[in-house]
């Protein structure tokens, strides 16, 4: 096992931001060429800008990599204060396991002894200092050959998140992960919350590059072979599309035995829908959240969004999203948000 002092650990710490998602649940603000990570939802900055900024100064800009869809590369390069070559476009969407394999290969080219942080581009995390302190603790523990994930203590019985089933505290503030649980039904989510040994799966991971490489070789050898070839300089453009489409949870994490978790002592939200955005926006006395121009009468608990100066005027609306962006208008009960993707299937390409 290796030990590292603070300076050497930080110098070999890389962050990899996964930014290939489409963000269809935020239509019509989110579009094919303006996915969720490129939206400004909780501040004037886009979500990916906030994700990168909260890593500084723990990780220097030259050690921050973004893996995204090739269609978004130029937009992201224009936004971020990192070297342009650190924004890498995937030829095809193949889910998170091929993304992590590619990122690991690219990091190994730079530093075979690196420790990696893997995180999504579109989460809200506050405060940044507490987040960075948690990453430091995880980076220290990763030197012992663990695959580490950050668990979010659940605040309500969510059916929208996957869960981690944890064992007893090891005495270090880290817990063995006994199993990964898929998104549960309501009764199961309530049981998880009551049990106290379950955490929401944040999708944030910390591990050494050599540790995850070995895990790929053992549990997903097809991807492990590609990873090693890419690390030695093979052109991933040539064969990335041939990778099977699979998540890192299915490919590796649900099979590995050296997984531990640490509780996240910070505010976290993946902002997965218009309704979840309400908790991050100022509310009027009737619980209405607004971004842009909106006037409401006899209305409560709504979300109003207008990014082009259009005034939204509402009378007698309750728990409804009214979203005006570009050439489209969405009016939808917040309880039916999951149907937005079905609407997209019915619209012409000019509205996507």
């Amino acid at each position: 096992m290796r030990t590292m002092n603070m300076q050497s650990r930080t110098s070999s710490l890389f962050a990899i931001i996964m930014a290939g998602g489409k963000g269809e649940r935020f239509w019509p603000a989110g579009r094919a060429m303006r996915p969720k990570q490129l939206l400004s939802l909780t501040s004037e900055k886009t979500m990916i800008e906030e994700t990168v900024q909260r890593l500084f100064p723990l990780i220097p800009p030259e050690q921050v990599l973004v893996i995204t869809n090739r269609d978004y590369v130029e937009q992201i390069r224009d936004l971020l204060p990192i070297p342009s070559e650190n924004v890498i476009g995937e030829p095809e969407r193949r889910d998170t396991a091929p993304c992590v394999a590619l990122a690991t290969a690219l990091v190994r080219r730079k530093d075979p002894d690196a420790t990696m942080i893997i995180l999504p581009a579109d989460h809200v995390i506050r405060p940044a200092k507490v987040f960075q302190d948690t990453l430091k603790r995880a980076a220290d523990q990763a030197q012992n050959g663990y695959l580490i994930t950050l668990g979010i203590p659940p605040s309500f019985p969510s059916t929208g998140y996957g869960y981690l089933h944890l064992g007893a505290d090891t005495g270090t503030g880290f817990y063995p992960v006994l199993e990964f649980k898929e998104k549960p039904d309501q009764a199961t989510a309530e049981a998880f919350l009551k049990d106290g040994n379950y955490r929401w799966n944040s999708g944030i991971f910390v591990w050494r590059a050599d540790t995850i490489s070995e895990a790929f070789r053992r549990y997903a050898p097809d991807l492990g072979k590609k990873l090693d070839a890419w690390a030695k300089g093979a052109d991933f453009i040539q064969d990335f599309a041939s990778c099977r489409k699979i998540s890192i949870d299915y490919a590796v994490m649900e099979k590995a035995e050296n997984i531990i978790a640490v509780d996240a002592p910070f505010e976290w939200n993946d902002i997965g829908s218009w309704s979840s955005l309400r908790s991050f926006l100022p509310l009027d006395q009737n619980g209405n959240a607004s971004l842009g121009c909106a006037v409401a009468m006899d209305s409560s608990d709504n979300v109003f969004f207008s990014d082009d100066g259009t005034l939204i005027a509402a009378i007698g609306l309750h728990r409804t999203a009214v979203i005006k962006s570009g050439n489209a208008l969405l009016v939808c009960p917040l309880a039916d948000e999951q149907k937005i993707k079905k609407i997209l299937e019915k619209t012409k390409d000019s509205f996507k």
Side-chain angles (χ1 to χ4, degrees):
M1 296 183 183
R2 298 183 300 179
T3 59
M4 304 173 68
N5 61 34
M6 178 71 71
Q7 183 176 2
S8 63
R9 183 196 64 200
T10 303
S11 66
S12 66
L13 190 59
F14 285 73
I16 292 82
I17 299 169
M18 298 183 293
K22 294 184 290 185
E24 292 176 331
R25 287 175 291 182
F26 280 93
W27 185 86
R31 304 287 183 109
M33 289 306 297
R34 190 174 62 168
K36 175 186 170 188
Q37 59 269 25
L38 296 179
L39 298 178
S40 300
L41 296 175
T42 60
S43 76
E44 294 181 355
K45 295 185 186 320
T46 63
M47 300 202 77
I48 193 170
E49 286 179 282
E50 290 191 339
T51 298
V52 169
Q53 290 293 337
R54 76 173 63 100
L55 294 169
F56 300 151
L58 176 64
I59 303 175
E62 62 271 17
Q63 291 174 202
V64 176
L65 279 67
V66 175
I67 310 294
T68 186
N69 184 277
R70 61 182 177 183
D71 293 335
Y72 310 146
V73 167
E74 293 307 319
Q75 293 183 71
I76 291 175
R77 284 176 175 170
D78 289 342
L79 282 172
L80 300 181
I82 65 176
S84 60
E85 63 270 19
N86 283 16
V87 180
I88 298 98
E90 297 174 326
E92 301 285 345
R93 288 187 174 95
R94 307 310 296 161
D95 214 325
T96 54
C99 175
V100 171
L102 174 59
T104 304
L106 297 178
V107 168
R108 280 173 49 189
R109 291 182 187 181
K110 295 174 179 286
D111 183 354
D113 296 321
T115 299
M116 301 168 59
I117 299 166
I118 308 287
L119 65 162
D122 53 6
H123 291 180
V124 173
I125 295 174
R126 300 169 180 168
K129 178 63 167 59
V130 178
F131 177 58
Q132 290 188 16
D133 288 344
T134 306
L135 294 179
K136 290 176 186 177
R137 290 180 59 208
D140 277 339
Q141 199 69 16
Q143 306 316 308
N144 296 316
Y146 291 112
L147 302 174
I148 301 174
T149 183
L150 275 58
I152 311 297
S155 54
F156 65 95
S158 173
T159 59
Y161 298 138
Y163 284 73
L164 309 171
H165 183 196
L166 305 185
D169 188 337
T170 61
T172 61
F174 289 80
Y175 304 80
V177 177
L178 303 180
E179 55 186 336
F180 285 70
K181 292 289 190 178
E182 294 301 309
K183 297 175 182 178
D185 58 25
Q186 186 64 37
T188 303
E190 291 173 0
F192 286 172
L193 183 64
K194 184 178 181 179
D195 181 280
N197 292 315
Y198 289 83
R199 304 290 187 269
W200 290 336
N201 183 358
S202 69
I204 301 172
F205 306 103
V206 182
W207 45 51
R208 292 198 324 239
D210 57 354
T211 304
I212 189 62
S213 295
E214 180 56 34
F216 269 109
R217 295 184 197 110
R218 180 174 180 181
Y219 301 112
D222 55 328
L223 293 175
K225 183 177 180 180
K226 290 180 183 293
L227 190 167
D228 287 333
W230 294 335
K232 294 175 182 177
D235 184 2
F236 71 89
I237 299 294
Q238 298 299 318
D239 59 356
F240 190 86
S242 66
C243 294
R244 58 185 166 126
K245 191 173 184 179
I246 186 171
S247 71
I248 187 64
D249 286 356
Y250 282 136
V252 173
M253 302 301 284
E254 293 187 0
K255 302 173 184 177
E257 298 176 353
N258 57 331
I259 304 175
I260 59 175
V262 60
D263 278 340
F266 45 78
E267 180 182 7
W268 173 91
N269 197 307
D270 75 344
I271 308 292
S273 65
W274 288 114
S275 59
S276 66
L277 184 61
R278 287 185 67 250
S279 60
F280 291 90
L281 295 177
L283 304 178
D284 68 15
Q285 60 184 4
N286 295 310
N288 298 304
S290 301
L291 270 176
C293 301
V295 177
M297 294 177 56
D298 302 323
S299 300
S300 62
D301 302 324
N302 300 294
V303 177
F304 303 123
F305 179 97
S306 172
D307 62 6
D308 60 4
T310 298
L311 171 65
I312 294 174
I315 302 174
L317 283 184
H318 304 281
R319 293 202 55 77
T320 299
V322 182
I323 314 298
K324 171 64 174 69
S325 182
N327 61 349
L329 171 68
L330 170 71
V331 181
C332 171
L334 290 174
D336 290 331
E337 287 177 298
Q338 72 277 6
K339 298 179 181 178
I340 290 177
K341 288 187 177 182
K342 294 182 179 179
I343 282 287
L344 285 176
E345 293 171 2
K346 296 178 179 294
T347 60
K348 297 179 180 179
D349 289 342
S350 59
F351 293 97
K352 295 182 179 179

PDB file of all heavy atoms in Angstrom, residues 295-309:
ATOM      1  N   VAL A 295     -45.683  36.797 -13.741  1.00  0.00           N
ATOM      2  CA  VAL A 295     -46.652  37.397 -12.835  1.00  0.00           C
ATOM      3  C   VAL A 295     -47.723  36.350 -12.576  1.00  0.00           C
ATOM      4  O   VAL A 295     -48.244  35.742 -13.517  1.00  0.00           O
ATOM      5  CB  VAL A 295     -47.295  38.670 -13.437  1.00  0.00           C
ATOM      6  CG1 VAL A 295     -48.353  39.214 -12.491  1.00  0.00           C
ATOM      7  CG2 VAL A 295     -46.241  39.722 -13.701  1.00  0.00           C
ATOM      8  N   ALA A 296     -48.052  36.123 -11.293  1.00  0.00           N
ATOM      9  CA  ALA A 296     -49.011  35.073 -10.956  1.00  0.00           C
ATOM     10  C   ALA A 296     -50.094  35.613 -10.034  1.00  0.00           C
ATOM     11  O   ALA A 296     -49.816  36.394  -9.112  1.00  0.00           O
ATOM     12  CB  ALA A 296     -48.305  33.899 -10.296  1.00  0.00           C
ATOM     13  N   MET A 297     -51.342  35.193 -10.271  1.00  0.00           N
ATOM     14  CA  MET A 297     -52.476  35.530  -9.419  1.00  0.00           C
ATOM     15  C   MET A 297     -53.208  34.238  -9.047  1.00  0.00           C
ATOM     16  O   MET A 297     -53.405  33.365  -9.895  1.00  0.00           O
ATOM     17  CB  MET A 297     -53.449  36.469 -10.143  1.00  0.00           C
ATOM     18  CG  MET A 297     -52.901  37.847 -10.445  1.00  0.00           C
ATOM     19  SD  MET A 297     -54.099  38.851 -11.390  1.00  0.00           S
ATOM     20  CE  MET A 297     -55.527  38.787 -10.296  1.00  0.00           C
ATOM     21  N   ASP A 298     -53.579  34.114  -7.783  1.00  0.00           N
ATOM     22  CA  ASP A 298     -54.319  32.932  -7.316  1.00  0.00           C
ATOM     23  C   ASP A 298     -53.626  31.642  -7.759  1.00  0.00           C
ATOM     24  O   ASP A 298     -54.274  30.678  -8.158  1.00  0.00           O
ATOM     25  CB  ASP A 298     -55.764  32.965  -7.841  1.00  0.00           C
ATOM     26  CG  ASP A 298     -56.512  34.227  -7.422  1.00  0.00           C
ATOM     27  OD1 ASP A 298     -56.290  34.688  -6.292  1.00  0.00           O
ATOM     28  OD2 ASP A 298     -57.293  34.753  -8.240  1.00  0.00           O
ATOM     29  N   SER A 299     -52.325  31.624  -7.689  1.00  0.00           N
ATOM     30  CA  SER A 299     -51.526  30.488  -8.159  1.00  0.00           C
ATOM     31  C   SER A 299     -50.505  30.117  -7.086  1.00  0.00           C
ATOM     32  O   SER A 299     -49.996  30.988  -6.374  1.00  0.00           O
ATOM     33  CB  SER A 299     -50.801  30.828  -9.461  1.00  0.00           C
ATOM     34  OG  SER A 299     -51.726  31.165 -10.486  1.00  0.00           O
ATOM     35  N   SER A 300     -50.180  28.818  -6.991  1.00  0.00           N
ATOM     36  CA  SER A 300     -49.252  28.386  -5.945  1.00  0.00           C
ATOM     37  C   SER A 300     -48.409  27.209  -6.396  1.00  0.00           C
ATOM     38  O   SER A 300     -48.830  26.391  -7.221  1.00  0.00           O
ATOM     39  CB  SER A 300     -50.030  27.987  -4.683  1.00  0.00           C
ATOM     40  OG  SER A 300     -50.886  26.895  -4.943  1.00  0.00           O
ATOM     41  N   ASP A 301     -47.188  27.159  -5.870  1.00  0.00           N
ATOM     42  CA  ASP A 301     -46.277  26.016  -6.019  1.00  0.00           C
ATOM     43  C   ASP A 301     -45.961  25.695  -7.481  1.00  0.00           C
ATOM     44  O   ASP A 301     -45.815  24.528  -7.861  1.00  0.00           O
ATOM     45  CB  ASP A 301     -46.849  24.774  -5.325  1.00  0.00           C
ATOM     46  CG  ASP A 301     -47.100  25.001  -3.851  1.00  0.00           C
ATOM     47  OD1 ASP A 301     -46.309  25.728  -3.223  1.00  0.00           O
ATOM     48  OD2 ASP A 301     -48.096  24.461  -3.322  1.00  0.00           O
ATOM     49  N   ASN A 302     -45.830  26.732  -8.287  1.00  0.00           N
ATOM     50  CA  ASN A 302     -45.516  26.565  -9.710  1.00  0.00           C
ATOM     51  C   ASN A 302     -44.048  26.846  -9.984  1.00  0.00           C
ATOM     52  O   ASN A 302     -43.332  27.405  -9.149  1.00  0.00           O
ATOM     53  CB  ASN A 302     -46.369  27.525 -10.555  1.00  0.00           C
ATOM     54  CG  ASN A 302     -47.857  27.271 -10.383  1.00  0.00           C
ATOM     55  OD1 ASN A 302     -48.369  26.237 -10.767  1.00  0.00           O
ATOM     56  ND2 ASN A 302     -48.554  28.240  -9.796  1.00  0.00           N
ATOM     57  N   VAL A 303     -43.614  26.466 -11.185  1.00  0.00           N
ATOM     58  CA  VAL A 303     -42.292  26.832 -11.687  1.00  0.00           C
ATOM     59  C   VAL A 303     -42.490  27.561 -13.003  1.00  0.00           C
ATOM     60  O   VAL A 303     -43.068  27.017 -13.952  1.00  0.00           O
ATOM     61  CB  VAL A 303     -41.391  25.597 -11.922  1.00  0.00           C
ATOM     62  CG1 VAL A 303     -40.050  26.032 -12.506  1.00  0.00           C
ATOM     63  CG2 VAL A 303     -41.169  24.846 -10.622  1.00  0.00           C
ATOM     64  N   PHE A 304     -42.041  28.815 -13.048  1.00  0.00           N
ATOM     65  CA  PHE A 304     -42.126  29.621 -14.266  1.00  0.00           C
ATOM     66  C   PHE A 304     -40.713  29.895 -14.772  1.00  0.00           C
ATOM     67  O   PHE A 304     -39.839  30.301 -14.006  1.00  0.00           O
ATOM     68  CB  PHE A 304     -42.836  30.952 -13.996  1.00  0.00           C
ATOM     69  CG  PHE A 304     -44.218  30.796 -13.420  1.00  0.00           C
ATOM     70  CD1 PHE A 304     -44.542  31.397 -12.207  1.00  0.00           C
ATOM     71  CD2 PHE A 304     -45.188  30.052 -14.076  1.00  0.00           C
ATOM     72  CE1 PHE A 304     -45.808  31.261 -11.665  1.00  0.00           C
ATOM     73  CE2 PHE A 304     -46.456  29.906 -13.541  1.00  0.00           C
ATOM     74  CZ  PHE A 304     -46.773  30.513 -12.323  1.00  0.00           C
ATOM     75  N   PHE A 305     -40.488  29.666 -16.062  1.00  0.00           N
ATOM     76  CA  PHE A 305     -39.152  29.842 -16.638  1.00  0.00           C
ATOM     77  C   PHE A 305     -39.297  30.500 -18.001  1.00  0.00           C
ATOM     78  O   PHE A 305     -40.020  30.008 -18.868  1.00  0.00           O
ATOM     79  CB  PHE A 305     -38.461  28.484 -16.791  1.00  0.00           C
ATOM     80  CG  PHE A 305     -37.081  28.543 -17.389  1.00  0.00           C
ATOM     81  CD1 PHE A 305     -35.955  28.545 -16.583  1.00  0.00           C
ATOM     82  CD2 PHE A 305     -36.889  28.570 -18.769  1.00  0.00           C
ATOM     83  CE1 PHE A 305     -34.675  28.573 -17.136  1.00  0.00           C
ATOM     84  CE2 PHE A 305     -35.625  28.607 -19.327  1.00  0.00           C
ATOM     85  CZ  PHE A 305     -34.512  28.610 -18.500  1.00  0.00           C
ATOM     86  N   SER A 306     -38.605  31.629 -18.171  1.00  0.00           N
ATOM     87  CA  SER A 306     -38.605  32.319 -19.460  1.00  0.00           C
ATOM     88  C   SER A 306     -37.214  32.888 -19.686  1.00  0.00           C
ATOM     89  O   SER A 306     -36.744  33.719 -18.905  1.00  0.00           O
ATOM     90  CB  SER A 306     -39.645  33.444 -19.476  1.00  0.00           C
ATOM     91  OG  SER A 306     -39.530  34.223 -20.649  1.00  0.00           O
ATOM     92  N   ASP A 307     -36.539  32.432 -20.726  1.00  0.00           N
ATOM     93  CA  ASP A 307     -35.155  32.864 -20.939  1.00  0.00           C
ATOM     94  C   ASP A 307     -35.003  33.817 -22.116  1.00  0.00           C
ATOM     95  O   ASP A 307     -33.892  34.120 -22.525  1.00  0.00           O
ATOM     96  CB  ASP A 307     -34.232  31.657 -21.125  1.00  0.00           C
ATOM     97  CG  ASP A 307     -34.588  30.813 -22.338  1.00  0.00           C
ATOM     98  OD1 ASP A 307     -35.481  31.202 -23.111  1.00  0.00           O
ATOM     99  OD2 ASP A 307     -33.951  29.755 -22.519  1.00  0.00           O
ATOM    100  N   ASP A 308     -36.139  34.292 -22.651  1.00  0.00           N
ATOM    101  CA  ASP A 308     -36.048  35.183 -23.813  1.00  0.00           C
ATOM    102  C   ASP A 308     -36.829  36.480 -23.634  1.00  0.00           C
ATOM    103  O   ASP A 308     -37.134  37.177 -24.603  1.00  0.00           O
ATOM    104  CB  ASP A 308     -36.538  34.461 -25.070  1.00  0.00           C
ATOM    105  CG  ASP A 308     -37.988  33.998 -24.962  1.00  0.00           C
ATOM    106  OD1 ASP A 308     -38.637  34.299 -23.939  1.00  0.00           O
ATOM    107  OD2 ASP A 308     -38.476  33.346 -25.899  1.00  0.00           O
ATOM    108  N   GLY A 309     -37.161  36.823 -22.380  1.00  0.00           N
ATOM    109  CA  GLY A 309     -37.869  38.067 -22.121  1.00  0.00           C
ATOM    110  C   GLY A 309     -39.375  37.967 -22.226  1.00  0.00           C
ATOM    111  O   GLY A 309     -40.087  38.939 -21.935  1.00  0.00           O
TER     112      GLY A 309
END
